[in-house]
């Protein structure tokens, strides 16, 4: 029912409809492709392995990003994107925000490009 409502809401002005979920959207984290996340302010990069969340790879590298739900529904881990194309898997961004690719939620989203530059 939520999916049908969201489809119908796409005909309305962007931002006029909001869904609050209490469980993240189903995601497939078993992708075969890993990628590099460049931490722009720190001047280094972190490898994200297939099936690994960006936030997990960051934590293994000693980088803490505030988080809460870790399902892409609360917005706590929002991170600015400087370059690259995120694979948005959250349930927060509008279609226009997804297309802009200026921020992402690193607990669930991944990368469509081999390299993603974040404002970290
Ligand atoms: S921790 Fe809630 S959206 Fe990432």
């Amino acid at each position: 029912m939520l999916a049908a409502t969201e489809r119908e809401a796409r005909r309305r002005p962007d931002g006029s409809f909001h869904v609050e979920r209490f469980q993240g959207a189903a995601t497939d984290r078993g992708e075969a492709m890993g990628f590099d996340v460049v931490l722009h302010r720190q001047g280094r990069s972190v490898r994200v392995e297939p099936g690994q969340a960006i936030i997990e790879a960051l934590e293994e590298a000693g980088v803490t990003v505030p988080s809460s739900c870790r399902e892409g529904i609360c917005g706590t881990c929002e991170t600015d994107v400087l370059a690259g194309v995120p694979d948005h898997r959250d349930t927060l961004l509008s279609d226009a925000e997804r297309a802009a690719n200026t921020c992402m939620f690193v607990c669930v989203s991944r990368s469509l490009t081999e390299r993603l530059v974040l404002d970290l």
Side-chain angles (χ1 to χ4, degrees), residues 66-77 92 105-108:
S67 66
S68 181
C69 71
R70 292 191 175 224
E71 294 185 0
I73 60 175
C74 75
T76 305
C77 68
L92 296 161
F105 299 95
V106 294
C107 65
V108 291

Side-chain angles (χ1 to χ4, degrees), residues 13-32:
D14 201 38
S16 64
F17 177 78
H18 176 74
V19 173
E20 186 170 338
R21 296 180 191 272
F22 298 95
Q23 180 177 2
T27 59
D28 175 11
R29 290 179 50 198
E31 303 84 357

Side-chain angles (χ1 to χ4, degrees), residues 4 6 14 16 28 30 36 47 80 84 95 104 108 113 116-117:
E6 287 176 311
D14 201 38
S16 64
D28 175 11
D36 292 319
R47 183 74 182 168
D80 288 338
D95 289 344
M104 68 183 301
V108 291
T113 50
L116 200 57
V117 182

